[in-house]
Amino acid sequence: MHKAMVAEPKSRARQLFVAKGVSTEDAERFSDVDSGSFANRYRIVLDCQSEKESVERHRKITVSHRAD
Amino acid sequence: MKILAVVYGHFPDVLKLYSRFQPAVGHLKVVLDVYPAGGFEREQFLSMFEQLAVLFPTISQHTCCTEYESTPLYLEEEEGVSIKRVGETADIAHLVEHLIVDMQISLGGMRRCSGLTCGWKDPENRFDLFVECVDARVGLFAAQFAVYLVTQIMARKKLSLRNELVLKLARYINENQGAAIDAESLSSVLGWKKGNVEMALARLHEFGFFPPDNREDTRMEEGSA
């Protein structure tokens, strides 16, 4: 994985790292998701979330359980 | 499984795909090819989750697929397993995404982190993972380490507990910026055998935790786009 440069508008500064063997054209395509039919690009979308508050609650419960 | 590219920045259109994304926070976009194609069988999935929960105990606290339950997807849910299973290649990419999200909180200093796994129409084994991220360095490491771990599991290899040392060292370095990070000093401070420190440092280098460019360049201030 190495750092690559693609032409991007200044307002949309992005850092790009590409694997060996990835062409410049593909790298530019991977970097840009704001143009074209973005919403129709995908066939499946799955979401997930983690919050530190719930993580801390979990740790507290674990610790108190051990102390008991 | 191979990461083709990792992009770090702001992707305004992605905000439309998930209401829990925080507009001011940047994203890591990981373009991932998954092969061989196919999802996990139930038993394999449960065994894999069990192994990962040892290394990442907080994945049990994740919420998963809360906004897409009305889509025509069959999401299989198991009691005590926070990650839902679709039964196709997306399961593997989705698992990688969960691990990246988890590391953004445990290593990246975020209080809340959301992510999306988006499967391309063509090729069907290509995925864009979008994960909220405040430090490209941590994100790049998390993506590569997650892919390494899931690849190990798919090859039916048991995850070594030495991976835990890698995560602990990454956390220590992040929380003690400016501290000496040569093997000798770390061995003394952490009380670890020098060989373990050297192994963990080598892994951190291998997975991009120490990019060759300027460290200051990897962070993006909130709202800078």
Side-chain angles (χ1 to χ4, degrees), chain A residues 3 5 12-14 16 18 21 23 25-26 31 34 43-44 48 51 54-55 60-63 65:
Chain A
K3 200 161 185 174
M5 300 297 290
R12 208 185 57 184
R14 288 176 183 162
L16 172 67
V18 295
S23 69
E25 292 75 28
D26 276 344
S31 173
D34 296 335
R43 65 186 171 82
I44 183 170
C48 85
E51 287 197 53
S54 65
V55 168
K60 212 172 276 178
I61 290 164
T62 307
V63 169
H65 178 72

Side-chain angles (χ1 to χ4, degrees), chain B residues 152-205:
Chain B
Q152 292 286 105
I153 289 177
M154 286 168 66
R156 298 186 184 276
K157 292 181 181 166
K158 284 267 176 210
L159 287 185
S160 164
L161 287 178
R162 298 178 88 185
N163 291 309
E164 199 174 351
L165 295 180
V166 179
L167 290 170
K168 280 183 179 169
L169 186 58
R171 194 175 302 130
Y172 171 81
I173 292 173
N174 264 1
E175 288 173 356
N176 297 276
Q177 293 185 21
I181 54 166
D182 60 284
E184 200 81 51
S185 308
L186 287 169
S187 172
S188 161
V189 170
L190 297 169
W192 296 3
K193 288 179 183 169
K194 198 176 166 196
N196 283 339
V197 175
E198 286 170 342
M199 176 281 300
L201 276 174
R203 287 290 195 208
L204 291 179
H205 275 287

Side-chain angles (χ1 to χ4, degrees), chain A residues 47-48, chain B residues 18 20 63-69 84:
Chain A
D47 64 73
C48 85
Chain B
Y18 191 27
R20 293 187 180 187
T63 55
C64 180
C65 299
T66 52
E67 293 196 359
Y68 290 89
E69 286 181 336
K84 291 174 185 166

Side-chain angles (χ1 to χ4, degrees), chain B residues 114-170:
Chain B
S114 300
L116 277 184
T117 295
C118 304
W120 285 38
K121 285 180 177 168
D122 184 30
E124 281 198 5
N125 69 327
R126 183 162 295 167
F127 296 86
D128 290 342
L129 314 181
F130 294 97
V131 177
E132 288 179 326
C133 176
V134 294
D135 190 334
R137 181 181 61 101
V138 172
L140 186 61
F141 163 75
Q144 296 189 95
F145 193 50
V147 165
Y148 163 77
L149 295 174
V150 174
T151 303
Q152 292 286 105
I153 289 177
M154 286 168 66
R156 298 186 184 276
K157 292 181 181 166
K158 284 267 176 210
L159 287 185
S160 164
L161 287 178
R162 298 178 88 185
N163 291 309
E164 199 174 351
L165 295 180
V166 179
L167 290 170
K168 280 183 179 169
L169 186 58

